[in-house]
Amino acid sequence: MSRTKMKAFAIVVVSALALTLAACNNGQSASPGNSGEPSRGTETKDVTITFQNINPDPSTPSYKMIKQIVGQYEQDHPHVKIELDSLNTDQQKLKLKTQAAAKEVPDITIVNPAAQMKPFVDAGLLAPLNDVADKEGLKDTFQNGLLNYYSFDDKLYAFPDGNNIEVVFYNKELFKQAGIQKLPTTFDELITTVKTLKAKGITPIAIGEKDSWTGSLLFMNILLRTNEGPNFLNDVLDGKKTFNDPAFVEAVDAFQELVQAGAFPDGATSIDYNAGGNIFKTGKAAMYIMGTWETGSIDASSVAGKVGAFQFPTVNGKGDVNEYVIAPGSAFAVSANSEHLQETKDFLHYFIKEMPKIQFDLKNAIGSGQKMKGDLKEAGYSELAISLNELFKNVKGGDLAFDNTMNPAIAQAHLSSIQNLFVQKEDSAQVAKEHQNTFEANK
C-alpha cells in the first residue's frame, strides 16, 4: 500500500470507530461458547498451538479477554491446547527477532503494522491469511481500510487488536491537590503544569521508557505539532524534507524541555511499559500520555472514576489538537512454518470473531479495530470512555508511530536516541544530524 493511501486510511479508519459505536444496536453476537465451528482435523489428533502475546498483566481487560477466549476454545475443542507465551512488548519484539532468525516463529505471534512487519513478510515467515479473512465475512467486521496496514501485494498477514489515538490521561484528584484549575492547552501550560505538580511532590507524567517506544510515541506528538500537521516522516521518505528540518530540531528541544522540567519518574529508563502505566493507575502520577487502548485498563484500576483525558497541546502556537498520533494496533500473525497451520488458522478465526463481543463486555471497546455493536452508556461504560469516544468523532488525521513508518534500522537508532534524552541533555541540531546520517545510511 502506498503511503498516500495509508494517510487516507488513517483518517477514515479512526473516524469510523465513533460512528460504529454510535450505531447503538443492542444485538450482540451469539453466545461465544456456541459460535466456534469444530475445525478440520482438530477432533482426531491432539494439537498444541503456541500463542505469543503482549498481555502479561492479569489485571488488564486485554489479558482477561485472551484467557476467556482461549478457555472457550479449548472447552469446545478438547483436542486443541493453546499454550500462552505472554511477554512485555519489548521482550516480545526481542524474542521474535531471535525466533525469526532461527525460522522458529511461534504458531501465533504479534507484529506491528506497515514498516515494522514488512521484514517478516519479506523473509517469508508469516502465512497469508486471506482465507481466514474471507471465512464467514470476518474481514467485514473490521473498520474500513484498517487491514490495509497489514497487507502487502494484496495478501493479508495479520489481524489487528485495535485502532487508537494518543491522548493525555490525567488524575483529577491529583490536579486538584496541586491546585491546578485549568487543563493545559499549550506546551508552555503543560510545562507549567509539570512544574506545579513537581513542586507538590507529585510525579507529573508516568512513563516506562525501558520499553523505548513509549518516549518515541510521546515525542511524535510534539513533532506532529511543530511540523504544523502530519506527514513529516513521509516527507523525509519522499525526499521533501530532512531530519535537519527546523520542525524536527524544535521538537527535540521541546521534548528535552519536558525532561528537564522533571516531568518523568526518576529512573524512567529502567521502568518497563507495564510498570510505567501502573504508576498512573495506582494514583502515583498525575498524567499518562498514551494510546486510548489503555482506557479499559485504567477503568479497571484503583484510579477508576478519577481520570479524565485531554488532547495533546499545541507547541509554540503550532498544530491542531484534533490531529493525533494514530496507532493501528499490534496484530496477530501466523507462522508460515507452523506444524499445525490449518488448526492455528481455525483458532485465530475463532479468536478474532469472538474478540469484539468479549472486549465490549469487559468494557475495553474504546480503540477497537473491529466494529462494535452496543451503547456505551447503556452498557455502563465510564465517563472517561464516553468522552474519548467523542474525541474520535472529530479526528482530522495524524501520524503513525516512528517505528511504523521508518525501516527497523532507522527506527532503532531513533528509539535509542530519544531514550538517551531521558538521561542526558543533547544538542538538538546534533540529534537531528545523527538521525539524518542514519537515514542516509539505511534508506
Side-chain angles (χ1 to χ4, degrees), residues 16-36:
L17 174 63
L19 295 175
T20 53
L21 286 172
C24 300
N25 183 342
N26 290 327
Q28 295 288 352
S29 64
S31 169
N34 296 327
S35 57

mmCIF file with all atom_site columns, all heavy atoms in Angstrom, residues 16-36:
data_model
loop_
_atom_site.group_PDB
_atom_site.id
_atom_site.type_symbol
_atom_site.label_atom_id
_atom_site.label_alt_id
_atom_site.label_comp_id
_atom_site.label_asym_id
_atom_site.label_entity_id
_atom_site.label_seq_id
_atom_site.pdbx_PDB_ins_code
_atom_site.Cartn_x
_atom_site.Cartn_y
_atom_site.Cartn_z
_atom_site.occupancy
_atom_site.B_iso_or_equiv
_atom_site.pdbx_formal_charge
_atom_site.auth_seq_id
_atom_site.auth_comp_id
_atom_site.auth_asym_id
_atom_site.auth_atom_id
_atom_site.pdbx_PDB_model_num
ATOM 1   N N   . ALA A 1 16 ? -14.041 6.159   11.897 1.00 0.00 ? 16 ALA A N   1
ATOM 2   C CA  . ALA A 1 16 ? -15.082 5.140   11.814 1.00 0.00 ? 16 ALA A CA  1
ATOM 3   C C   . ALA A 1 16 ? -15.473 4.572   13.157 1.00 0.00 ? 16 ALA A C   1
ATOM 4   O O   . ALA A 1 16 ? -16.600 4.143   13.348 1.00 0.00 ? 16 ALA A O   1
ATOM 5   C CB  . ALA A 1 16 ? -14.612 4.005   10.902 1.00 0.00 ? 16 ALA A CB  1
ATOM 6   N N   . LEU A 1 17 ? -14.561 4.563   14.133 1.00 0.00 ? 17 LEU A N   1
ATOM 7   C CA  . LEU A 1 17 ? -14.862 3.929   15.408 1.00 0.00 ? 17 LEU A CA  1
ATOM 8   C C   . LEU A 1 17 ? -16.057 4.554   16.076 1.00 0.00 ? 17 LEU A C   1
ATOM 9   O O   . LEU A 1 17 ? -16.978 3.872   16.509 1.00 0.00 ? 17 LEU A O   1
ATOM 10  C CB  . LEU A 1 17 ? -13.661 4.013   16.346 1.00 0.00 ? 17 LEU A CB  1
ATOM 11  C CG  . LEU A 1 17 ? -13.946 3.494   17.752 1.00 0.00 ? 17 LEU A CG  1
ATOM 12  C CD1 . LEU A 1 17 ? -14.285 2.006   17.696 1.00 0.00 ? 17 LEU A CD1 1
ATOM 13  C CD2 . LEU A 1 17 ? -12.785 3.737   18.676 1.00 0.00 ? 17 LEU A CD2 1
ATOM 14  N N   . ALA A 1 18 ? -16.045 5.887   16.176 1.00 0.00 ? 18 ALA A N   1
ATOM 15  C CA  . ALA A 1 18 ? -17.142 6.554   16.848 1.00 0.00 ? 18 ALA A CA  1
ATOM 16  C C   . ALA A 1 18 ? -18.454 6.274   16.148 1.00 0.00 ? 18 ALA A C   1
ATOM 17  O O   . ALA A 1 18 ? -19.486 6.083   16.793 1.00 0.00 ? 18 ALA A O   1
ATOM 18  C CB  . ALA A 1 18 ? -16.881 8.050   16.899 1.00 0.00 ? 18 ALA A CB  1
ATOM 19  N N   . LEU A 1 19 ? -18.424 6.252   14.824 1.00 0.00 ? 19 LEU A N   1
ATOM 20  C CA  . LEU A 1 19 ? -19.641 6.018   14.075 1.00 0.00 ? 19 LEU A CA  1
ATOM 21  C C   . LEU A 1 19 ? -20.204 4.642   14.356 1.00 0.00 ? 19 LEU A C   1
ATOM 22  O O   . LEU A 1 19 ? -21.407 4.470   14.522 1.00 0.00 ? 19 LEU A O   1
ATOM 23  C CB  . LEU A 1 19 ? -19.364 6.182   12.580 1.00 0.00 ? 19 LEU A CB  1
ATOM 24  C CG  . LEU A 1 19 ? -18.970 7.598   12.164 1.00 0.00 ? 19 LEU A CG  1
ATOM 25  C CD1 . LEU A 1 19 ? -18.599 7.618   10.693 1.00 0.00 ? 19 LEU A CD1 1
ATOM 26  C CD2 . LEU A 1 19 ? -20.111 8.575   12.436 1.00 0.00 ? 19 LEU A CD2 1
ATOM 27  N N   . THR A 1 20 ? -19.308 3.650   14.414 1.00 0.00 ? 20 THR A N   1
ATOM 28  C CA  . THR A 1 20 ? -19.792 2.298   14.647 1.00 0.00 ? 20 THR A CA  1
ATOM 29  C C   . THR A 1 20 ? -20.308 2.138   16.059 1.00 0.00 ? 20 THR A C   1
ATOM 30  O O   . THR A 1 20 ? -21.304 1.459   16.296 1.00 0.00 ? 20 THR A O   1
ATOM 31  C CB  . THR A 1 20 ? -18.692 1.268   14.391 1.00 0.00 ? 20 THR A CB  1
ATOM 32  O OG1 . THR A 1 20 ? -17.544 1.609   15.156 1.00 0.00 ? 20 THR A OG1 1
ATOM 33  C CG2 . THR A 1 20 ? -18.340 1.222   12.937 1.00 0.00 ? 20 THR A CG2 1
ATOM 34  N N   . LEU A 1 21 ? -19.660 2.761   17.023 1.00 0.00 ? 21 LEU A N   1
ATOM 35  C CA  . LEU A 1 21 ? -20.142 2.677   18.397 1.00 0.00 ? 21 LEU A CA  1
ATOM 36  C C   . LEU A 1 21 ? -21.458 3.401   18.547 1.00 0.00 ? 21 LEU A C   1
ATOM 37  O O   . LEU A 1 21 ? -22.314 3.021   19.336 1.00 0.00 ? 21 LEU A O   1
ATOM 38  C CB  . LEU A 1 21 ? -19.110 3.279   19.361 1.00 0.00 ? 21 LEU A CB  1
ATOM 39  C CG  . LEU A 1 21 ? -17.881 2.409   19.591 1.00 0.00 ? 21 LEU A CG  1
ATOM 40  C CD1 . LEU A 1 21 ? -16.864 3.191   20.396 1.00 0.00 ? 21 LEU A CD1 1
ATOM 41  C CD2 . LEU A 1 21 ? -18.242 1.133   20.304 1.00 0.00 ? 21 LEU A CD2 1
ATOM 42  N N   . ALA A 1 22 ? -21.622 4.476   17.779 1.00 0.00 ? 22 ALA A N   1
ATOM 43  C CA  . ALA A 1 22 ? -22.841 5.259   17.890 1.00 0.00 ? 22 ALA A CA  1
ATOM 44  C C   . ALA A 1 22 ? -24.031 4.573   17.252 1.00 0.00 ? 22 ALA A C   1
ATOM 45  O O   . ALA A 1 22 ? -25.153 5.047   17.325 1.00 0.00 ? 22 ALA A O   1
ATOM 46  C CB  . ALA A 1 22 ? -22.633 6.625   17.248 1.00 0.00 ? 22 ALA A CB  1
ATOM 47  N N   . ALA A 1 23 ? -23.781 3.446   16.597 1.00 0.00 ? 23 ALA A N   1
ATOM 48  C CA  . ALA A 1 23 ? -24.865 2.738   15.939 1.00 0.00 ? 23 ALA A CA  1
ATOM 49  C C   . ALA A 1 23 ? -25.901 2.228   16.924 1.00 0.00 ? 23 ALA A C   1
ATOM 50  O O   . ALA A 1 23 ? -27.063 2.038   16.588 1.00 0.00 ? 23 ALA A O   1
ATOM 51  C CB  . ALA A 1 23 ? -24.312 1.560   15.149 1.00 0.00 ? 23 ALA A CB  1
ATOM 52  N N   . CYS A 1 24 ? -25.483 2.049   18.180 1.00 0.00 ? 24 CYS A N   1
ATOM 53  C CA  . CYS A 1 24 ? -26.416 1.759   19.267 1.00 0.00 ? 24 CYS A CA  1
ATOM 54  C C   . CYS A 1 24 ? -27.332 0.588   18.957 1.00 0.00 ? 24 CYS A C   1
ATOM 55  O O   . CYS A 1 24 ? -28.550 0.687   18.981 1.00 0.00 ? 24 CYS A O   1
ATOM 56  C CB  . CYS A 1 24 ? -27.254 2.970   19.612 1.00 0.00 ? 24 CYS A CB  1
ATOM 57  S SG  . CYS A 1 24 ? -26.278 4.367   20.148 1.00 0.00 ? 24 CYS A SG  1
ATOM 58  N N   . ASN A 1 25 ? -26.749 -0.518  18.626 1.00 0.00 ? 25 ASN A N   1
ATOM 59  C CA  . ASN A 1 25 ? -27.527 -1.717  18.382 1.00 0.00 ? 25 ASN A CA  1
ATOM 60  C C   . ASN A 1 25 ? -27.308 -2.661  19.543 1.00 0.00 ? 25 ASN A C   1
ATOM 61  O O   . ASN A 1 25 ? -26.206 -3.075  19.827 1.00 0.00 ? 25 ASN A O   1
ATOM 62  C CB  . ASN A 1 25 ? -27.045 -2.368  17.069 1.00 0.00 ? 25 ASN A CB  1
ATOM 63  C CG  . ASN A 1 25 ? -27.872 -3.575  16.715 1.00 0.00 ? 25 ASN A CG  1
ATOM 64  O OD1 . ASN A 1 25 ? -28.554 -4.126  17.567 1.00 0.00 ? 25 ASN A OD1 1
ATOM 65  N ND2 . ASN A 1 25 ? -27.810 -3.971  15.464 1.00 0.00 ? 25 ASN A ND2 1
ATOM 66  N N   . ASN A 1 26 ? -28.372 -2.998  20.220 1.00 0.00 ? 26 ASN A N   1
ATOM 67  C CA  . ASN A 1 26 ? -28.228 -3.843  21.388 1.00 0.00 ? 26 ASN A CA  1
ATOM 68  C C   . ASN A 1 26 ? -27.973 -5.297  21.040 1.00 0.00 ? 26 ASN A C   1
ATOM 69  O O   . ASN A 1 26 ? -27.620 -6.095  21.888 1.00 0.00 ? 26 ASN A O   1
ATOM 70  C CB  . ASN A 1 26 ? -29.481 -3.760  22.265 1.00 0.00 ? 26 ASN A CB  1
ATOM 71  C CG  . ASN A 1 26 ? -29.595 -2.407  22.923 1.00 0.00 ? 26 ASN A CG  1
ATOM 72  O OD1 . ASN A 1 26 ? -28.583 -1.794  23.250 1.00 0.00 ? 26 ASN A OD1 1
ATOM 73  N ND2 . ASN A 1 26 ? -30.800 -1.939  23.099 1.00 0.00 ? 26 ASN A ND2 1
ATOM 74  N N   . GLY A 1 27 ? -28.196 -5.664  19.802 1.00 0.00 ? 27 GLY A N   1
ATOM 75  C CA  . GLY A 1 27 ? -27.986 -7.055  19.436 1.00 0.00 ? 27 GLY A CA  1
ATOM 76  C C   . GLY A 1 27 ? -26.511 -7.384  19.380 1.00 0.00 ? 27 GLY A C   1
ATOM 77  O O   . GLY A 1 27 ? -25.747 -6.736  18.712 1.00 0.00 ? 27 GLY A O   1
ATOM 78  N N   . GLN A 1 28 ? -26.108 -8.432  20.105 1.00 0.00 ? 28 GLN A N   1
ATOM 79  C CA  . GLN A 1 28 ? -24.727 -8.867  20.087 1.00 0.00 ? 28 GLN A CA  1
ATOM 80  C C   . GLN A 1 28 ? -24.649 -10.205 19.376 1.00 0.00 ? 28 GLN A C   1
ATOM 81  O O   . GLN A 1 28 ? -25.654 -10.797 18.998 1.00 0.00 ? 28 GLN A O   1
ATOM 82  C CB  . GLN A 1 28 ? -24.197 -8.986  21.520 1.00 0.00 ? 28 GLN A CB  1
ATOM 83  C CG  . GLN A 1 28 ? -24.131 -7.657  22.239 1.00 0.00 ? 28 GLN A CG  1
ATOM 84  C CD  . GLN A 1 28 ? -23.012 -6.765  21.705 1.00 0.00 ? 28 GLN A CD  1
ATOM 85  O OE1 . GLN A 1 28 ? -22.205 -7.183  20.902 1.00 0.00 ? 28 GLN A OE1 1
ATOM 86  N NE2 . GLN A 1 28 ? -22.999 -5.528  22.126 1.00 0.00 ? 28 GLN A NE2 1
ATOM 87  N N   . SER A 1 29 ? -23.445 -10.692 19.208 1.00 0.00 ? 29 SER A N   1
ATOM 88  C CA  . SER A 1 29 ? -23.272 -11.968 18.547 1.00 0.00 ? 29 SER A CA  1
ATOM 89  C C   . SER A 1 29 ? -23.780 -13.087 19.429 1.00 0.00 ? 29 SER A C   1
ATOM 90  O O   . SER A 1 29 ? -24.083 -12.899 20.599 1.00 0.00 ? 29 SER A O   1
ATOM 91  C CB  . SER A 1 29 ? -21.798 -12.196 18.222 1.00 0.00 ? 29 SER A CB  1
ATOM 92  O OG  . SER A 1 29 ? -21.067 -12.278 19.405 1.00 0.00 ? 29 SER A OG  1
ATOM 93  N N   . ALA A 1 30 ? -23.846 -14.265 18.853 1.00 0.00 ? 30 ALA A N   1
ATOM 94  C CA  . ALA A 1 30 ? -24.323 -15.410 19.606 1.00 0.00 ? 30 ALA A CA  1
ATOM 95  C C   . ALA A 1 30 ? -23.381 -15.709 20.759 1.00 0.00 ? 30 ALA A C   1
ATOM 96  O O   . ALA A 1 30 ? -22.270 -15.200 20.830 1.00 0.00 ? 30 ALA A O   1
ATOM 97  C CB  . ALA A 1 30 ? -24.419 -16.618 18.681 1.00 0.00 ? 30 ALA A CB  1
ATOM 98  N N   . SER A 1 31 ? -23.847 -16.535 21.668 1.00 0.00 ? 31 SER A N   1
ATOM 99  C CA  . SER A 1 31 ? -23.029 -16.905 22.812 1.00 0.00 ? 31 SER A CA  1
ATOM 100 C C   . SER A 1 31 ? -21.672 -17.380 22.357 1.00 0.00 ? 31 SER A C   1
ATOM 101 O O   . SER A 1 31 ? -21.565 -18.222 21.468 1.00 0.00 ? 31 SER A O   1
ATOM 102 C CB  . SER A 1 31 ? -23.734 -18.025 23.586 1.00 0.00 ? 31 SER A CB  1
ATOM 103 O OG  . SER A 1 31 ? -22.856 -18.564 24.546 1.00 0.00 ? 31 SER A OG  1
ATOM 104 N N   . PRO A 1 32 ? -20.580 -16.839 22.956 1.00 0.00 ? 32 PRO A N   1
ATOM 105 C CA  . PRO A 1 32 ? -19.244 -17.190 22.492 1.00 0.00 ? 32 PRO A CA  1
ATOM 106 C C   . PRO A 1 32 ? -19.010 -18.686 22.497 1.00 0.00 ? 32 PRO A C   1
ATOM 107 O O   . PRO A 1 32 ? -18.372 -19.229 21.610 1.00 0.00 ? 32 PRO A O   1
ATOM 108 C CB  . PRO A 1 32 ? -18.330 -16.488 23.503 1.00 0.00 ? 32 PRO A CB  1
ATOM 109 C CG  . PRO A 1 32 ? -19.148 -15.347 24.018 1.00 0.00 ? 32 PRO A CG  1
ATOM 110 C CD  . PRO A 1 32 ? -20.548 -15.849 24.019 1.00 0.00 ? 32 PRO A CD  1
ATOM 111 N N   . GLY A 1 33 ? -19.536 -19.361 23.474 1.00 0.00 ? 33 GLY A N   1
ATOM 112 C CA  . GLY A 1 33 ? -19.270 -20.779 23.570 1.00 0.00 ? 33 GLY A CA  1
ATOM 113 C C   . GLY A 1 33 ? -19.914 -21.585 22.464 1.00 0.00 ? 33 GLY A C   1
ATOM 114 O O   . GLY A 1 33 ? -19.554 -22.726 22.226 1.00 0.00 ? 33 GLY A O   1
ATOM 115 N N   . ASN A 1 34 ? -20.873 -20.974 21.759 1.00 0.00 ? 34 ASN A N   1
ATOM 116 C CA  . ASN A 1 34 ? -21.568 -21.726 20.722 1.00 0.00 ? 34 ASN A CA  1
ATOM 117 C C   . ASN A 1 34 ? -21.184 -21.283 19.324 1.00 0.00 ? 34 ASN A C   1
ATOM 118 O O   . ASN A 1 34 ? -21.727 -21.763 18.345 1.00 0.00 ? 34 ASN A O   1
ATOM 119 C CB  . ASN A 1 34 ? -23.091 -21.559 20.889 1.00 0.00 ? 34 ASN A CB  1
ATOM 120 C CG  . ASN A 1 34 ? -23.561 -22.150 22.200 1.00 0.00 ? 34 ASN A CG  1
ATOM 121 O OD1 . ASN A 1 34 ? -23.002 -23.130 22.670 1.00 0.00 ? 34 ASN A OD1 1
ATOM 122 N ND2 . ASN A 1 34 ? -24.580 -21.536 22.799 1.00 0.00 ? 34 ASN A ND2 1
ATOM 123 N N   . SER A 1 35 ? -20.290 -20.320 19.207 1.00 0.00 ? 35 SER A N   1
ATOM 124 C CA  . SER A 1 35 ? -20.055 -19.704 17.908 1.00 0.00 ? 35 SER A CA  1
ATOM 125 C C   . SER A 1 35 ? -18.918 -20.333 17.130 1.00 0.00 ? 35 SER A C   1
ATOM 126 O O   . SER A 1 35 ? -18.758 -20.050 15.966 1.00 0.00 ? 35 SER A O   1
ATOM 127 C CB  . SER A 1 35 ? -19.776 -18.208 18.070 1.00 0.00 ? 35 SER A CB  1
ATOM 128 O OG  . SER A 1 35 ? -18.685 -18.024 18.928 1.00 0.00 ? 35 SER A OG  1
ATOM 129 N N   . GLY A 1 36 ? -18.114 -21.180 17.729 1.00 0.00 ? 36 GLY A N   1
ATOM 130 C CA  . GLY A 1 36 ? -16.980 -21.734 17.004 1.00 0.00 ? 36 GLY A CA  1
ATOM 131 C C   . GLY A 1 36 ? -17.331 -23.057 16.370 1.00 0.00 ? 36 GLY A C   1
ATOM 132 O O   . GLY A 1 36 ? -17.820 -23.960 17.021 1.00 0.00 ? 36 GLY A O   1
#
